[in-house]
Amino acid sequence: MPRQAIRQFATELEIPYLLHFTRAVNLPSIMEHGIYPIARVDEIDAEPQINDQHRLDGRLNGTSISIAHPNCQMLYKYRMDDESVDWAVLVLKRSTLWQKECAFCRHNAADARISQQPIEALTSEAAFRGMFDEIDGFTSREEQKLKVYDPTDVQAEVMVFDIIEPEYIRGIVFNSKEAKDAYSHLLTEEQKAWLYAKNKGLFGTRSYSRLYS
């Protein structure tokens, strides 16, 4: 991966932060050890509650993160599967993009257009830039009123093939006061906690956020 080129383009776009959503019960392990890919959780003897039981992308050595807004379609689906579960969105430093080994997926990583590509093609500067190109069959970026740093497809993701240590975590967004009260003590003085309503902000749709904010 051309790290300097990735850093330069991410800086040009003024990417504000990266995001990773998880069940709130996973936070104690994450805040102590970091975000581990599923294939490596045995290294810390953890048993995380996972969202995707199938992982059709086939890359269990990677962790999915989003740029500037979560994959709201997937997050909504998981939330509706069990509405009793509390969720958290981890806000990550954008430096993850160039300090970790990453693959850049302009669609969901399980999409055949991505999963059938060799990893070398996905770790290139061209793959990173391609996340922000116009895509045939998609509403134009202008019509979507996307920010310059928004990937064109809301399901686009970055796969991080590494541990994302706690120091990369800027803060946590909670979807209930109970979860915020239960887990905020895990944060350092430098990290922040936010509370969003269950269908607002990062827990809402990107389209609504961009079109009406």
Side-chain angles (χ1 to χ4, degrees):
M1 181 180 70
R3 294 174 185 259
Q4 186 54 41
I6 298 300
R7 179 175 186 171
Q8 180 175 341
F9 189 52
T11 302
E12 288 174 10
L13 295 178
E14 297 184 344
I15 290 174
Y17 42 73
L18 310 175
L19 302 163
H20 173 75
F21 63 80
T22 188
R23 296 166 187 255
V25 294
N26 294 325
L27 290 174
S29 175
I30 288 173
M31 299 309 293
E32 180 179 0
H33 302 289
I35 305 171
Y36 272 65
I38 292 299
R40 296 183 59 182
V41 294
D42 60 329
E43 296 177 20
I44 52 172
D45 195 29
E47 296 182 3
Q49 292 191 21
I50 61 176
N51 310 321
D52 188 347
Q53 301 291 333
H54 304 292
R55 284 299 297 266
L56 298 177
D57 60 88
R59 295 182 169 120
L60 298 181
N61 60 332
T63 296
S64 173
I65 62 175
S66 300
I67 296 173
H69 200 281
N71 180 342
C72 48
Q73 296 177 21
M74 294 299 293
L75 179 53
Y76 181 79
K77 173 185 179 297
Y78 294 140
R79 286 171 52 214
M80 292 302 101
D81 284 345
D82 186 347
E83 296 187 57
S84 69
V85 172
D86 279 315
W87 291 86
V89 178
L90 295 157
V91 181
L92 309 174
K93 296 177 181 178
R94 68 180 182 183
S95 58
T96 306
L97 293 170
W98 61 84
Q99 293 181 348
K100 301 295 182 180
E101 292 297 326
C102 297
F104 305 102
C105 311
R106 69 191 311 208
H107 303 295
N108 189 298
D111 189 305
R113 292 170 291 184
I114 299 299
S115 62
Q116 292 180 6
Q117 290 192 47
I119 195 65
E120 293 77 16
L122 298 173
T123 55
S124 66
E125 178 188 356
F128 183 40
R129 288 180 175 271
M131 297 177 75
F132 308 91
D133 289 342
E134 299 287 358
I135 300 175
D136 289 343
F138 278 67
T139 304
S140 73
R141 292 180 60 83
E142 182 179 3
E143 288 178 278
Q144 293 187 69
K145 297 191 182 301
L146 297 181
K147 307 290 188 183
V148 66
Y149 50 72
D150 285 326
T152 304
D153 184 350
V154 72
Q155 293 204 63
E157 57 188 306
V158 178
M159 296 293 293
V160 181
F161 301 110
D162 205 342
I163 300 160
I164 304 173
E165 292 87 354
E167 54 263 33
Y168 283 86
I169 300 171
R170 294 173 52 183
I172 304 173
V173 182
F174 295 96
N175 73 340
S176 76
K177 183 179 184 300
E178 292 76 16
K180 183 174 181 286
D181 290 345
Y183 297 105
S184 288
H185 70 280
L186 299 171
L187 298 165
T188 66
E189 291 184 0
E190 292 75 29
Q191 295 167 327
K192 297 181 179 180
W194 298 273
L195 176 63
Y196 285 9
K198 292 198 174 184
N199 291 301
K200 302 293 184 181
L202 295 181
F203 289 100
T205 64
R206 187 181 73 174
S207 59
Y208 185 89
S209 175
R210 297 303 184 254
L211 288 170
Y212 301 108
S213 63

